[in-house]
Amino acid sequence: YFSFLCTKAVVSTQSTGEKFDKISSEQWNLQCRDKWREWLHLYKTRIDLDSQNSNITEYKETRSKVQQQSNPVVVPRNHILQRAIDRAELGDYSLARRLLEVFERPYEAPPEQWL
């Protein structure tokens, strides 16, 4: 994923028409490093600014709440879904039903024995 982001960032800054096959891997890595440093600086500046404008405890709670609402606890992975499909093809739909219940509420912690 980070490689993809770096590629996108470096590609967007190639305004000289320079061919990518002419860029050495060392140059590529330097450009990627510079783009990541730039992003990290912007991110840190944003965090610092946000935290200065609010109570630190309230700020942390708000950030945590936003992250919990944005990042699912469970993600339907192929190997899990395939297991449910295989069982369903044999007539056992219990895993498919359990997965459906869990995946309907991806931001909530599933029961301990959901698989």
Side-chain angles (χ1 to χ4, degrees):
Y1 180 73
F2 293 115
S3 177
F4 168 76
L5 290 178
C6 179
T7 300
K8 189 170 178 111
V10 173
V11 167
S12 68
T13 60
Q14 293 290 324
S15 59
T16 62
E18 183 178 11
K19 299 280 186 199
F20 289 107
D21 56 352
K22 293 181 182 177
I23 296 176
S24 72
S25 62
E26 185 177 334
Q27 289 172 317
W28 183 263
N29 289 336
L30 289 173
Q31 288 182 12
C32 286
R33 185 199 62 202
D34 292 345
K35 286 294 173 187
W36 276 110
R37 283 184 177 165
E38 179 183 327
W39 181 86
L40 285 171
H41 174 72
L42 290 172
Y43 181 73
K44 184 178 181 330
T45 302
R46 168 71 188 269
I47 297 298
D48 291 345
L49 181 65
D50 286 351
S51 63
Q52 287 172 2
N53 294 331
S54 63
N55 174 302
I56 194 69
T57 304
E58 180 182 307
Y59 173 73
K60 286 181 178 181
E61 288 174 1
T62 301
R63 281 186 54 86
S64 177
K65 187 175 182 178
V66 167
Q67 288 175 356
Q68 289 172 356
Q69 293 172 345
S70 304
N71 300 303
V73 175
V74 292
V75 177
R77 301 287 184 196
N78 286 342
H79 67 279
I80 296 171
L81 298 175
Q82 190 60 54
R83 191 179 328 162
I85 291 167
D86 292 344
R87 288 187 187 176
E89 286 176 343
L90 296 173
D92 178 7
Y93 296 92
S94 61
L95 180 57
R97 287 186 191 104
R98 262 196 329 263
L99 292 178
L100 180 60
E101 289 175 14
V102 169
F103 294 140
E104 284 178 334
R105 294 180 299 281
Y107 300 100
E108 297 176 14
E112 281 190 37
Q113 299 295 326
W114 67 281
L115 276 181

